[in-house]
Amino acid sequence: MPPTEPAGSRAAGAAPVPPSGGTPPARAGAPTPRRRRETVHPGAWWLWALALGTAATRTTNPLLLALLIAVSAYVVVTRRPHAPWSRSYGAFVKLALAVLVIRLLFTTVLGSPIPGTHTLLTLPEVPLPDWAQGIRLGGRVTAEGLTFALYDAMKLATLLICVGAANALANPSRLLKSLPGALYEMGVAVVVALTFAPNLIADVQRLRAARRLRGRPDRGLRGLLQVGLPVLEGALERSVALAAAMDARGYGRTAQVPARVRRTTAALTLGGLLGVCAGTYGLLTAAGGTYGVPVLVAGVAAALAGLWLGGRRTVRTRYRPDRWDGRAWLVTASGAAVAALLFLAAARDPAALHPGVVPLVAPSLPLWPAAAVLVGLLPAFVTPAPETAVKEPS
């Protein structure tokens, strides 16, 4: 007969005592341990975005460029995590729009080298001295010149938006953990620079919302001045806290390595960079086509070996390193496929990817290059959805 438990020996609501050798059952409402959510490697997002930006440099067709922007925007909307650093995509879009406006304004005021017959307006022309030949202020503004400026500016705007997509999708602190040891110090500087703009935007939005709730102006010169001082103060406090955290974690420590290893590292890195420069020059010139590829490959291999040896001087550990799994390969491959197919399309049908402006014709959407751009949507379907912020019960 099992022993009976004395009355009042267990508090009300306490978990029952398990039999010998068992595990205590989970109490109702107790938080369960959460497993680490598997996410895509941040380097894969950067490679995907840079590949889309590379594809944008191969065309001036506004329809293809708009399709590239739409592809990157859809992936950002569906896979952007809920974090302060992921809110910078809108700032990059505004910067791209500013590039378009400035480029068109310069073409209107300074003129365009593209000849045109469709005059939109004629501005008063300012006479310039003889030493300023080739430059004019005012004069005729043609539809051909504005169209050429719009196509050219859309290329740069698309590249900026693709970089913004990488900033919104890739966690900068996780990207820093994935860098080689030799690039750790430089990576810290880049990560701090990349996170400055998103944190600054978040501070401005928070302060403007607080001023609106208090009935104070948040627009105009007065609102800008009264918001700018707290933002500057927050940036300084963040810098001091970051410096203290880096100092506490031993940032800047280096290990003792033999002198011959240091000399070998310097020789490999310098020789690799020179090989990359010489190989790139050979690929860009007609006379160097025979030696360009081997010298470039040898330079890249030597530079990578130098980086690997240089990483021995950095003393640091990686907590939960990100794995480069199959989804990361799919994300990278989708961007690389878009870039490679647009390179092929630019070589086979340059007229479709670079519509003419003299005479002025409406651009057409080439079918198979457009289908190649849609391959960039693959990350929206093969990567996990971001976690939604759930408020903990009080």
Side-chain angles (χ1 to χ4, degrees):
M1 181 175 180
T4 59
E5 183 180 2
S9 63
R10 190 180 69 213
V17 178
S20 178
T23 57
R27 188 176 60 184
T32 57
R34 298 177 60 186
R35 296 181 60 187
R36 186 189 179 197
R37 186 177 179 86
E38 296 293 334
T39 55
V40 181
H41 196 284
W45 287 123
W46 269 100
L47 292 176
W48 170 82
L50 291 178
L52 292 187
T54 304
T57 62
R58 307 310 303 170
T59 178
T60 56
N61 191 320
L63 300 180
L64 287 177
L65 293 175
L67 191 58
L68 281 169
I69 294 174
V71 166
S72 65
Y74 181 79
V75 175
V76 168
V77 169
T78 56
R79 291 298 179 261
R80 176 173 55 181
H82 303 280
W85 49 264
S86 65
R87 302 172 187 171
S88 60
Y89 184 73
F92 279 91
V93 173
K94 294 177 182 177
L95 180 61
L97 293 176
V99 167
L100 289 175
V101 173
I102 292 173
R103 183 70 170 87
L104 293 177
L105 183 62
F106 278 11
T107 302
T108 303
V109 176
L110 302 178
S112 174
I114 303 299
T117 57
H118 298 80
T119 303
L120 299 179
L121 71 156
T122 303
L123 299 177
E125 188 169 354
V126 178
L128 298 176
D130 297 336
W131 53 266
Q133 293 292 332
I135 303 175
R136 68 177 179 88
L137 294 176
R140 279 193 324 127
V141 180
T142 62
E144 290 84 354
L146 285 180
T147 304
F148 177 80
L150 177 65
Y151 291 174
D152 195 48
M154 280 193 68
K155 183 193 300 185
L156 179 57
T158 306
L159 181 58
L160 288 173
I161 291 176
C162 291
V163 173
N167 276 277
L169 292 169
N171 190 333
S173 60
R174 288 176 51 213
L175 182 64
L176 175 62
K177 292 197 305 181
S178 305
L179 288 178
L183 301 177
Y184 180 65
E185 285 81 4
M186 185 176 66
V188 169
V190 172
V191 168
V192 171
L194 289 177
T195 54
F196 174 76
N199 288 327
L200 187 67
I201 294 171
D203 288 345
V204 171
Q205 292 176 349
R206 177 175 53 83
L207 290 171
R208 289 183 62 184
R211 291 184 63 84
R212 283 196 299 268
L213 291 175
R214 292 179 175 89
R216 298 177 182 177
D218 63 318
R219 297 181 181 275
L221 182 60
R222 181 182 177 185
L224 179 62
L225 292 176
Q226 294 182 357
V227 168
L229 185 59
V231 170
L232 179 60
E233 182 182 358
L236 292 176
E237 291 179 355
R238 194 181 303 115
S239 301
V240 173
L242 176 63
M246 292 168 65
D247 184 65
R249 288 167 174 81
Y251 176 76
R253 292 183 304 164
T254 56
Q256 295 294 332
V257 295
R260 57 183 179 82
V261 175
R262 293 198 300 268
R263 289 193 293 266
T264 305
T265 301
L268 286 174
T269 305
L270 182 59
L273 293 178
L274 291 176
V276 169
C277 294
T280 305
Y281 177 79
L283 290 178
L284 296 177
T285 58
T290 56
Y291 69 85
V293 175
V295 173
L296 180 61
V297 172
V300 170
L304 291 178
L307 290 178
W308 178 74
L309 282 178
R312 298 175 61 181
R313 297 183 66 246
T314 303
V315 182
R316 68 188 184 100
T317 58
R318 294 179 181 178
Y319 177 67
R320 287 184 175 181
D322 293 299
R323 296 182 304 169
W324 193 280
D325 53 4
R327 287 177 297 192
W329 282 113
L330 288 175
V331 170
T332 306
S334 65
V338 174
L341 290 174
L342 281 192
F343 266 86
L344 181 61
R348 289 192 173 183
D349 192 7
L353 269 68
H354 299 278
V357 295
V358 180
L360 190 62
V361 294
S364 59
L365 182 65
L367 293 182
W368 76 268
V373 172
L374 294 179
V375 177
L377 289 173
L378 184 63
F381 304 101
V382 300
T383 58
E387 289 182 316
T388 57
V390 180
K391 185 178 180 181
E392 294 292 337
S394 57

